[in-house]
Short mmCIF file of all heavy atoms in Angstrom, two decimals:
data_model
loop_
_atom_site.label_atom_id
_atom_site.label_comp_id
_atom_site.label_asym_id
_atom_site.label_seq_id
_atom_site.Cartn_x
_atom_site.Cartn_y
_atom_site.Cartn_z
N ALA A 269 -13.54 -21.71 -25.54
CA ALA A 269 -13.67 -21.01 -24.25
C ALA A 269 -13.08 -21.86 -23.13
O ALA A 269 -12.35 -21.34 -22.27
CB ALA A 269 -15.14 -20.72 -23.98
N LEU A 270 -13.37 -23.14 -23.16
CA LEU A 270 -12.83 -24.03 -22.13
C LEU A 270 -11.31 -24.05 -22.18
O LEU A 270 -10.63 -24.06 -21.15
CB LEU A 270 -13.39 -25.45 -22.31
CG LEU A 270 -14.86 -25.61 -21.92
CD1 LEU A 270 -15.37 -26.98 -22.36
CD2 LEU A 270 -15.04 -25.41 -20.42
N ASP A 271 -10.79 -24.00 -23.41
CA ASP A 271 -9.34 -24.02 -23.56
C ASP A 271 -8.72 -22.74 -22.99
O ASP A 271 -7.68 -22.78 -22.32
CB ASP A 271 -8.98 -24.18 -25.04
CG ASP A 271 -7.48 -24.29 -25.23
OD1 ASP A 271 -6.88 -25.18 -24.58
OD2 ASP A 271 -6.90 -23.47 -25.97
N ALA A 272 -9.38 -21.60 -23.24
CA ALA A 272 -8.85 -20.34 -22.69
C ALA A 272 -8.83 -20.40 -21.17
O ALA A 272 -7.84 -20.00 -20.54
CB ALA A 272 -9.72 -19.17 -23.17
N LEU A 273 -9.89 -20.92 -20.59
CA LEU A 273 -9.94 -21.01 -19.13
C LEU A 273 -8.88 -21.96 -18.59
O LEU A 273 -8.26 -21.70 -17.56
CB LEU A 273 -11.33 -21.45 -18.66
CG LEU A 273 -12.43 -20.41 -18.85
CD1 LEU A 273 -13.78 -20.97 -18.41
CD2 LEU A 273 -12.13 -19.12 -18.08
N ARG A 274 -8.68 -23.05 -19.32
CA ARG A 274 -7.66 -24.01 -18.88
C ARG A 274 -6.27 -23.35 -18.92
O ARG A 274 -5.47 -23.51 -18.01
CB ARG A 274 -7.70 -25.24 -19.79
CG ARG A 274 -6.84 -26.41 -19.31
CD ARG A 274 -6.72 -27.51 -20.35
NE ARG A 274 -6.35 -27.02 -21.67
CZ ARG A 274 -5.15 -26.56 -22.02
NH1 ARG A 274 -4.18 -26.51 -21.12
NH2 ARG A 274 -4.90 -26.12 -23.24
N ARG A 275 -6.05 -22.56 -19.98
CA ARG A 275 -4.74 -21.89 -20.07
C ARG A 275 -4.59 -20.84 -18.97
O ARG A 275 -3.50 -20.63 -18.44
CB ARG A 275 -4.55 -21.29 -21.46
CG ARG A 275 -4.14 -22.36 -22.48
CD ARG A 275 -3.83 -21.75 -23.84
NE ARG A 275 -5.05 -21.29 -24.48
CZ ARG A 275 -5.20 -20.09 -25.04
NH1 ARG A 275 -4.20 -19.24 -25.05
NH2 ARG A 275 -6.34 -19.76 -25.61
N LEU A 276 -5.68 -20.19 -18.64
CA LEU A 276 -5.60 -19.20 -17.54
C LEU A 276 -5.25 -19.91 -16.23
O LEU A 276 -4.42 -19.42 -15.45
CB LEU A 276 -6.93 -18.44 -17.41
CG LEU A 276 -7.03 -17.46 -16.23
CD1 LEU A 276 -5.88 -16.46 -16.22
CD2 LEU A 276 -8.37 -16.72 -16.27
N GLU A 277 -5.85 -21.05 -16.00
CA GLU A 277 -5.51 -21.81 -14.78
C GLU A 277 -4.03 -22.13 -14.75
O GLU A 277 -3.37 -22.04 -13.72
CB GLU A 277 -6.31 -23.11 -14.71
CG GLU A 277 -7.67 -22.93 -14.06
CD GLU A 277 -8.50 -24.21 -14.09
OE1 GLU A 277 -7.91 -25.31 -14.15
OE2 GLU A 277 -9.74 -24.08 -14.05
N GLU A 278 -3.51 -22.49 -15.92
CA GLU A 278 -2.08 -22.80 -16.03
C GLU A 278 -1.23 -21.57 -15.72
O GLU A 278 -0.25 -21.64 -14.98
CB GLU A 278 -1.82 -23.26 -17.46
CG GLU A 278 -0.78 -24.31 -17.64
CD GLU A 278 -0.86 -24.81 -19.09
OE1 GLU A 278 -1.73 -25.66 -19.39
OE2 GLU A 278 -0.09 -24.27 -19.90
N LEU A 279 -1.63 -20.43 -16.29
CA LEU A 279 -0.90 -19.19 -16.04
C LEU A 279 -0.90 -18.85 -14.55
O LEU A 279 0.10 -18.41 -13.99
CB LEU A 279 -1.53 -18.03 -16.82
CG LEU A 279 -1.37 -18.04 -18.33
CD1 LEU A 279 -2.23 -16.95 -18.97
CD2 LEU A 279 0.09 -17.83 -18.71
N ARG A 280 -2.02 -19.07 -13.92
CA ARG A 280 -2.15 -18.72 -12.50
C ARG A 280 -1.22 -19.55 -11.62
O ARG A 280 -0.89 -19.14 -10.51
CB ARG A 280 -3.61 -18.89 -12.05
CG ARG A 280 -4.55 -17.83 -12.59
CD ARG A 280 -4.49 -16.55 -11.76
NE ARG A 280 -5.08 -16.73 -10.44
CZ ARG A 280 -4.41 -16.69 -9.29
NH1 ARG A 280 -3.11 -16.49 -9.29
NH2 ARG A 280 -5.03 -16.84 -8.16
N ARG A 281 -0.80 -20.70 -12.13
CA ARG A 281 0.10 -21.53 -11.31
C ARG A 281 1.45 -20.87 -11.08
O ARG A 281 2.15 -21.19 -10.12
CB ARG A 281 0.29 -22.92 -11.94
CG ARG A 281 -0.86 -23.86 -11.60
CD ARG A 281 -0.45 -25.32 -11.77
NE ARG A 281 -0.63 -25.77 -13.14
CZ ARG A 281 -1.79 -26.16 -13.66
NH1 ARG A 281 -2.88 -26.13 -12.92
NH2 ARG A 281 -1.87 -26.55 -14.90
N ALA A 282 1.81 -19.92 -11.95
CA ALA A 282 3.09 -19.21 -11.77
C ALA A 282 2.99 -18.12 -10.70
O ALA A 282 3.99 -17.59 -10.24
CB ALA A 282 3.54 -18.60 -13.10
N ASP A 283 1.76 -17.76 -10.31
CA ASP A 283 1.58 -16.66 -9.36
C ASP A 283 1.92 -17.09 -7.94
O ASP A 283 1.83 -18.28 -7.59
CB ASP A 283 0.12 -16.18 -9.38
CG ASP A 283 -0.25 -15.48 -10.68
OD1 ASP A 283 0.67 -15.07 -11.42
OD2 ASP A 283 -1.46 -15.36 -10.96
N ALA A 284 2.25 -16.10 -7.12
CA ALA A 284 2.46 -16.36 -5.70
C ALA A 284 1.12 -16.79 -5.09
O ALA A 284 0.06 -16.37 -5.56
CB ALA A 284 2.95 -15.09 -5.02
N PRO A 285 1.16 -17.61 -4.05
CA PRO A 285 -0.10 -18.03 -3.43
C PRO A 285 -0.79 -16.85 -2.74
O PRO A 285 -0.18 -16.14 -1.96
CB PRO A 285 0.35 -19.09 -2.41
CG PRO A 285 1.80 -18.84 -2.19
CD PRO A 285 2.34 -18.22 -3.43
N THR A 286 -2.07 -16.64 -3.06
CA THR A 286 -2.81 -15.51 -2.49
C THR A 286 -3.45 -15.89 -1.16
O THR A 286 -3.93 -15.03 -0.44
CB THR A 286 -3.92 -15.07 -3.45
OG1 THR A 286 -4.75 -16.22 -3.72
CG2 THR A 286 -3.34 -14.55 -4.76
N HIS A 287 -3.49 -17.17 -0.89
CA HIS A 287 -4.14 -17.63 0.34
C HIS A 287 -3.19 -18.52 1.13
O HIS A 287 -2.26 -19.10 0.59
CB HIS A 287 -5.41 -18.42 0.01
CG HIS A 287 -6.51 -17.53 -0.49
ND1 HIS A 287 -6.53 -17.05 -1.77
CD2 HIS A 287 -7.59 -17.01 0.13
CE1 HIS A 287 -7.59 -16.27 -1.91
NE2 HIS A 287 -8.25 -16.22 -0.79
N GLY A 288 -3.43 -18.58 2.42
CA GLY A 288 -2.66 -19.48 3.26
C GLY A 288 -1.58 -18.79 4.06
O GLY A 288 -0.94 -19.41 4.90
N GLY A 289 -1.35 -17.49 3.83
CA GLY A 289 -0.48 -16.72 4.70
C GLY A 289 1.01 -16.88 4.45
O GLY A 289 1.81 -16.47 5.27
N ARG A 290 1.39 -17.46 3.29
CA ARG A 290 2.83 -17.64 3.05
C ARG A 290 3.47 -16.44 2.37
O ARG A 290 4.70 -16.36 2.27
CB ARG A 290 3.07 -18.91 2.23
CG ARG A 290 2.69 -20.13 3.05
CD ARG A 290 3.24 -21.43 2.57
NE ARG A 290 3.23 -22.37 3.69
CZ ARG A 290 4.31 -22.71 4.38
NH1 ARG A 290 5.49 -22.24 4.06
NH2 ARG A 290 4.21 -23.53 5.39
N VAL A 291 2.64 -15.50 1.91
CA VAL A 291 3.17 -14.26 1.33
C VAL A 291 2.75 -13.12 2.25
O VAL A 291 1.56 -12.85 2.38
CB VAL A 291 2.62 -14.05 -0.10
CG1 VAL A 291 3.13 -12.73 -0.67
CG2 VAL A 291 3.03 -15.21 -1.00
N LEU A 292 3.74 -12.46 2.89
CA LEU A 292 3.41 -11.47 3.90
C LEU A 292 3.49 -10.04 3.36
O LEU A 292 4.12 -9.15 3.93
CB LEU A 292 4.26 -11.67 5.16
CG LEU A 292 3.82 -12.91 5.96
CD1 LEU A 292 4.65 -14.12 5.60
CD2 LEU A 292 3.86 -12.65 7.45
N SER A 293 2.85 -9.82 2.20
CA SER A 293 2.64 -8.49 1.62
C SER A 293 1.66 -8.70 0.47
O SER A 293 1.45 -9.83 0.03
CB SER A 293 3.95 -7.90 1.10
OG SER A 293 4.49 -8.72 0.07
N TYR A 294 1.09 -7.60 0.01
CA TYR A 294 0.20 -7.60 -1.17
C TYR A 294 -1.15 -8.26 -0.98
O TYR A 294 -2.14 -7.83 -1.56
CB TYR A 294 0.85 -8.28 -2.40
CG TYR A 294 2.08 -7.61 -2.94
CD1 TYR A 294 3.14 -8.37 -3.42
CD2 TYR A 294 2.17 -6.22 -3.02
CE1 TYR A 294 4.28 -7.76 -3.95
CE2 TYR A 294 3.30 -5.62 -3.54
CZ TYR A 294 4.35 -6.38 -4.00
OH TYR A 294 5.46 -5.79 -4.52
N VAL A 295 -1.24 -9.36 -0.25
CA VAL A 295 -2.50 -10.08 -0.15
C VAL A 295 -2.97 -10.14 1.31
O VAL A 295 -2.15 -10.19 2.22
CB VAL A 295 -2.40 -11.51 -0.75
CG1 VAL A 295 -2.28 -11.43 -2.25
CG2 VAL A 295 -1.22 -12.29 -0.17
N TYR A 296 -4.29 -10.11 1.47
CA TYR A 296 -4.89 -9.98 2.79
C TYR A 296 -5.90 -11.10 2.95
O TYR A 296 -7.02 -11.03 2.45
CB TYR A 296 -5.54 -8.60 2.94
CG TYR A 296 -4.53 -7.48 2.79
CD1 TYR A 296 -4.06 -7.09 1.54
CD2 TYR A 296 -3.99 -6.85 3.91
CE1 TYR A 296 -3.09 -6.09 1.40
CE2 TYR A 296 -3.03 -5.86 3.79
CZ TYR A 296 -2.59 -5.49 2.54
OH TYR A 296 -1.64 -4.51 2.42
N ASP A 297 -5.49 -12.16 3.60
CA ASP A 297 -6.31 -13.36 3.68
C ASP A 297 -7.05 -13.39 5.02
O ASP A 297 -6.42 -13.49 6.07
CB ASP A 297 -5.39 -14.59 3.54
CG ASP A 297 -6.17 -15.89 3.47
OD1 ASP A 297 -7.41 -15.87 3.59
OD2 ASP A 297 -5.51 -16.94 3.31
N SER A 298 -8.37 -13.30 4.94
CA SER A 298 -9.17 -13.34 6.18
C SER A 298 -9.13 -14.73 6.80
O SER A 298 -9.42 -14.89 7.99
CB SER A 298 -10.61 -12.95 5.88
OG SER A 298 -11.24 -13.98 5.12
N GLY A 299 -8.82 -15.73 5.97
CA GLY A 299 -8.87 -17.11 6.46
C GLY A 299 -10.28 -17.68 6.45
O GLY A 299 -10.49 -18.82 6.86
N LEU A 300 -11.25 -16.89 6.00
CA LEU A 300 -12.65 -17.34 5.96
C LEU A 300 -13.05 -17.60 4.51
O LEU A 300 -13.15 -16.67 3.72
CB LEU A 300 -13.57 -16.26 6.55
CG LEU A 300 -13.23 -15.76 7.96
CD1 LEU A 300 -14.15 -14.59 8.35
CD2 LEU A 300 -13.35 -16.89 8.97
N ALA A 301 -13.29 -18.87 4.19
CA ALA A 301 -13.61 -19.23 2.80
C ALA A 301 -14.90 -18.54 2.34
O ALA A 301 -15.06 -18.18 1.18
CB ALA A 301 -13.75 -20.75 2.68
N GLU A 302 -15.82 -18.34 3.27
CA GLU A 302 -17.10 -17.73 2.91
C GLU A 302 -16.91 -16.32 2.32
O GLU A 302 -17.65 -15.90 1.43
CB GLU A 302 -17.99 -17.65 4.15
CG GLU A 302 -19.41 -17.23 3.79
CD GLU A 302 -20.27 -16.83 5.00
OE1 GLU A 302 -19.72 -16.31 6.00
OE2 GLU A 302 -21.47 -17.01 4.93
N ILE A 303 -15.90 -15.63 2.81
CA ILE A 303 -15.66 -14.25 2.35
C ILE A 303 -15.33 -14.24 0.86
O ILE A 303 -15.83 -13.39 0.10
CB ILE A 303 -14.52 -13.62 3.19
CG1 ILE A 303 -14.98 -13.44 4.64
CG2 ILE A 303 -14.06 -12.29 2.61
CD1 ILE A 303 -16.19 -12.57 4.81
N ASP A 304 -14.49 -15.16 0.42
CA ASP A 304 -14.15 -15.21 -1.01
C ASP A 304 -15.37 -15.57 -1.85
O ASP A 304 -15.56 -15.07 -2.95
CB ASP A 304 -13.05 -16.25 -1.24
CG ASP A 304 -11.71 -15.76 -0.74
OD1 ASP A 304 -11.53 -14.53 -0.63
OD2 ASP A 304 -10.85 -16.60 -0.43
N GLU A 305 -16.18 -16.45 -1.32
CA GLU A 305 -17.34 -16.91 -2.07
C GLU A 305 -18.38 -15.79 -2.22
O GLU A 305 -18.90 -15.56 -3.31
CB GLU A 305 -17.94 -18.14 -1.38
CG GLU A 305 -19.10 -18.78 -2.11
CD GLU A 305 -18.79 -19.19 -3.55
OE1 GLU A 305 -17.62 -19.47 -3.87
OE2 GLU A 305 -19.75 -19.21 -4.37
N ILE A 306 -18.66 -15.07 -1.15
CA ILE A 306 -19.66 -14.00 -1.30
C ILE A 306 -19.12 -12.87 -2.16
O ILE A 306 -19.87 -12.25 -2.93
CB ILE A 306 -20.16 -13.43 0.06
CG1 ILE A 306 -19.00 -12.98 0.92
CG2 ILE A 306 -21.05 -14.39 0.78
CD1 ILE A 306 -19.46 -12.30 2.17
N ALA A 307 -17.80 -12.63 -2.09
CA ALA A 307 -17.21 -11.60 -2.95
C ALA A 307 -17.40 -11.98 -4.41
O ALA A 307 -17.79 -11.15 -5.24
CB ALA A 307 -15.72 -11.43 -2.63
N ALA A 308 -17.17 -13.25 -4.74
CA ALA A 308 -17.29 -13.71 -6.13
C ALA A 308 -18.75 -13.63 -6.59
O ALA A 308 -19.04 -13.18 -7.69
CB ALA A 308 -16.77 -15.14 -6.24
N ARG A 309 -19.67 -14.04 -5.72
CA ARG A 309 -21.08 -14.02 -6.13
C ARG A 309 -21.59 -12.60 -6.30
O ARG A 309 -22.35 -12.30 -7.22
CB ARG A 309 -21.94 -14.74 -5.10
CG ARG A 309 -21.69 -16.23 -5.11
CD ARG A 309 -22.89 -16.94 -4.52
NE ARG A 309 -22.49 -18.23 -3.97
CZ ARG A 309 -23.31 -19.02 -3.30
NH1 ARG A 309 -24.54 -18.64 -3.05
NH2 ARG A 309 -22.89 -20.18 -2.86
N ALA A 310 -21.18 -11.71 -5.40
CA ALA A 310 -21.62 -10.31 -5.50
C ALA A 310 -21.08 -9.69 -6.78
O ALA A 310 -21.80 -8.97 -7.49
CB ALA A 310 -21.16 -9.53 -4.27
N ALA A 311 -19.81 -9.98 -7.09
CA ALA A 311 -19.20 -9.42 -8.31
C ALA A 311 -19.95 -9.91 -9.55
O ALA A 311 -20.22 -9.16 -10.48
CB ALA A 311 -17.73 -9.82 -8.39
N ARG A 312 -20.33 -11.17 -9.52
CA ARG A 312 -21.05 -11.74 -10.65
C ARG A 312 -22.42 -11.06 -10.86
O ARG A 312 -22.84 -10.82 -11.98
CB ARG A 312 -21.24 -13.24 -10.39
CG ARG A 312 -21.99 -13.95 -11.44
CD ARG A 312 -21.13 -15.03 -12.03
NE ARG A 312 -21.61 -15.37 -13.37
CZ ARG A 312 -21.04 -16.25 -14.15
NH1 ARG A 312 -19.95 -16.87 -13.75
NH2 ARG A 312 -21.51 -16.50 -15.34
N LEU A 313 -23.07 -10.74 -9.74
CA LEU A 313 -24.40 -10.12 -9.83
C LEU A 313 -24.35 -8.74 -10.51
O LEU A 313 -25.34 -8.32 -11.10
CB LEU A 313 -25.01 -9.98 -8.43
CG LEU A 313 -25.59 -11.26 -7.82
CD1 LEU A 313 -25.95 -11.05 -6.36
CD2 LEU A 313 -26.82 -11.71 -8.61
N VAL A 314 -23.22 -8.05 -10.39
CA VAL A 314 -23.14 -6.71 -11.01
C VAL A 314 -22.21 -6.71 -12.22
O VAL A 314 -21.85 -5.65 -12.72
CB VAL A 314 -22.64 -5.65 -9.99
CG1 VAL A 314 -23.61 -5.51 -8.83
CG2 VAL A 314 -21.24 -5.95 -9.51
N GLN A 315 -21.84 -7.89 -12.69
CA GLN A 315 -20.82 -7.98 -13.75
C GLN A 315 -21.07 -7.04 -14.93
O GLN A 315 -20.15 -6.37 -15.38
CB GLN A 315 -20.72 -9.42 -14.23
CG GLN A 315 -19.59 -9.66 -15.20
CD GLN A 315 -19.33 -11.15 -15.38
OE1 GLN A 315 -18.80 -11.80 -14.48
NE2 GLN A 315 -19.72 -11.68 -16.51
N PRO A 316 -22.29 -6.92 -15.45
CA PRO A 316 -22.48 -6.06 -16.63
C PRO A 316 -22.76 -4.59 -16.30
O PRO A 316 -22.93 -3.78 -17.22
CB PRO A 316 -23.70 -6.69 -17.32
CG PRO A 316 -24.34 -7.59 -16.32
CD PRO A 316 -23.53 -7.61 -15.07
N VAL A 317 -22.82 -4.26 -15.02
CA VAL A 317 -23.21 -2.90 -14.64
C VAL A 317 -22.12 -1.89 -14.98
O VAL A 317 -20.93 -2.20 -14.88
CB VAL A 317 -23.52 -2.86 -13.11
CG1 VAL A 317 -23.53 -1.44 -12.57
CG2 VAL A 317 -24.84 -3.57 -12.83
N ASN A 318 -22.53 -0.68 -15.38
CA ASN A 318 -21.57 0.41 -15.55
C ASN A 318 -21.75 1.40 -14.40
O ASN A 318 -22.78 2.09 -14.32
CB ASN A 318 -21.78 1.11 -16.88
CG ASN A 318 -20.68 2.11 -17.18
OD1 ASN A 318 -19.89 2.46 -16.29
ND2 ASN A 318 -20.59 2.56 -18.42
N GLY A 319 -20.76 1.46 -13.53
CA GLY A 319 -20.82 2.35 -12.38
C GLY A 319 -20.70 3.83 -12.75
O GLY A 319 -20.72 4.70 -11.89
N LEU A 320 -20.57 4.11 -14.03
CA LEU A 320 -20.44 5.50 -14.50
C LEU A 320 -21.66 6.34 -14.14
O LEU A 320 -21.52 7.50 -13.78
CB LEU A 320 -20.26 5.48 -16.03
CG LEU A 320 -20.39 6.80 -16.78
CD1 LEU A 320 -19.26 7.74 -16.43
CD2 LEU A 320 -20.38 6.56 -18.29
N ASP A 321 -22.85 5.75 -14.27
CA ASP A 321 -24.05 6.57 -14.11
C ASP A 321 -25.00 5.99 -13.06
O ASP A 321 -25.77 5.08 -13.33
CB ASP A 321 -24.78 6.69 -15.46
CG ASP A 321 -25.87 7.74 -15.41
OD1 ASP A 321 -26.31 8.10 -14.28
OD2 ASP A 321 -26.30 8.20 -16.48
#
Side-chain angles (χ1 to χ4, degrees):
L270 288 170
D271 184 54
L273 290 177
R274 189 190 50 72
R275 281 185 289 131
L276 175 54
E277 273 176 25
E278 214 169 279
L279 290 171
R280 288 278 290 114
R281 278 201 274 278
D283 291 342
T286 56
H287 288 78
R290 294 198 158 256
V291 178
L292 287 95
S293 62
Y294 296 142
V295 289
Y296 299 78
D297 186 357
S298 69
L300 306 174
E302 189 193 31
I303 293 301
D304 287 336
E305 184 56 27
I306 54 174
R309 290 203 205 174
R312 178 120 203 178
L313 283 171
V314 298
Q315 187 166 288
V317 163
N318 189 346
L320 168 67
D321 191 341

